[in-house]
Amino acid sequence: MSDAAAVLDDLRNESDELDALVAELSGDQWARPTPAERWTVAHQIAHLTWTDEVALLAVTDPDAFAVEVAKAQAAPDSFVDQAAEELVAAGPAALLARWRDGRERLGRALRDAPPGTRIPWYGPPMSVASMATARLMETWAHGQDIADALGVVRGPTARLRHVARIGVRARDYAFLARGIKPPGEEFRVELVAPGGELITYGPEGAAQRVTGPLYDFCLLVTQRAHRLDLSVRAVGADADQWLDIAQAFAGPPGPGRAPKGGAR
């Protein structure tokens, strides 16, 4: 199985798990506020729906996708919220059906893409495997917002390794998005998976180091929790600065979450 096929399988499983969480919600539950300011459960699913659809456009019609990028550049602070609002207006049933259809079509398009395909995006162009990883990361992160809103505790899965990987690979992007020159040296990142497995990135002898649970690191790079509430630690000034600004997603820096008090 290719790397892309494996990630696409995990993306499908992550999406199906979130689908099971929202499929039987009442209208009041769809309207429940999530930790993202002004976003309800419906807004979270609407955002995933919209992003799947523009990702499909990027795969199948790069010229049409370039038009969407221009729209984003013209309204960088509002285009994401506006897209979500428009989809929420259709109501939960129509929104759920549209999300299911869009993610299925995107999955087929990614599986059918020729080897070596480079897909344009709001950040750097991506391979098929990277696009699938980005979609999995967003599905997990927005699913976390929904779970938090519903009071549901989701256990970490092995799929989080994809989220961590994109978070590590996006290190320099997080600095550049804030107008900061990225560090010139590689960092060592050591993360402990739920089963005790050690997942590592970077040279073993690196002076700049980040350590902690895989789950906490994923919450950090998706900005779903403040670093003060997580058991992720840094050694070195550059690594410490990264933990303040890390983001695994393309686009402007997010506002992050306020600390709740106490590391997990």
Side-chain angles (χ1 to χ4, degrees), residues 15 18 30 39 41-60 64-90 94-106 120-123 131 134-135 138-139 142 249-252:
S15 299
L18 178 56
W30 277 93
W39 274 25
V41 170
H43 285 88
Q44 300 285 350
I45 295 298
H47 177 68
L48 292 176
T49 303
W50 171 79
T51 315
D52 283 344
E53 290 179 357
V54 294
L56 178 63
L57 202 62
V59 176
T60 59
F65 175 72
V67 175
E68 294 300 317
V69 173
K71 292 179 183 177
Q73 293 171 338
D77 296 327
S78 61
F79 79 101
V80 170
D81 288 337
Q82 181 179 347
E85 288 288 354
E86 291 173 358
L87 289 171
V88 166
L95 175 59
L96 183 59
R98 185 164 173 173
W99 176 45
R100 288 169 172 169
D101 176 67
R103 73 182 200 244
E104 176 64 26
R105 289 189 292 128
L106 174 61
W121 198 237
Y122 295 96
M131 174 60 80
R135 298 309 310 127
E138 278 222 273
T139 301
H142 290 284
F249 50 87

Side-chain angles (χ1 to χ4, degrees), residues 127-232:
S127 66
V128 170
S130 293
M131 174 60 80
T133 301
R135 298 309 310 127
L136 190 154
M137 177 271 296
E138 278 222 273
T139 301
W140 178 79
H142 290 284
Q144 186 64 44
D145 286 341
I146 292 171
D148 287 344
L150 298 174
V152 173
V153 177
R154 302 190 303 170
T157 72
R159 297 189 294 270
L160 287 181
R161 69 189 186 279
H162 301 303
V163 181
R165 182 172 182 269
I166 200 171
V168 171
R169 289 171 63 89
R171 186 203 72 170
D172 287 0
Y173 183 84
F175 282 92
L176 292 170
R178 290 160 177 80
I180 305 170
K181 182 180 179 180
E185 61 183 300
E186 289 188 70
F187 293 177
R188 175 69 169 184
V189 179
E190 298 181 349
L191 307 172
V192 181
E197 174 192 2
L198 186 64
I199 300 173
T200 63
Y201 305 90
E204 188 172 353
Q208 305 288 325
R209 308 176 68 86
V210 169
T211 61
L214 173 64
Y215 176 61
D216 284 27
F217 181 79
C218 291
L219 289 172
L220 179 78
V221 298
T222 58
Q223 298 186 358
R224 261 50 194 182
H226 194 279
R227 66 175 293 189
L228 293 179
D229 296 323
L230 302 170
S231 297
V232 182

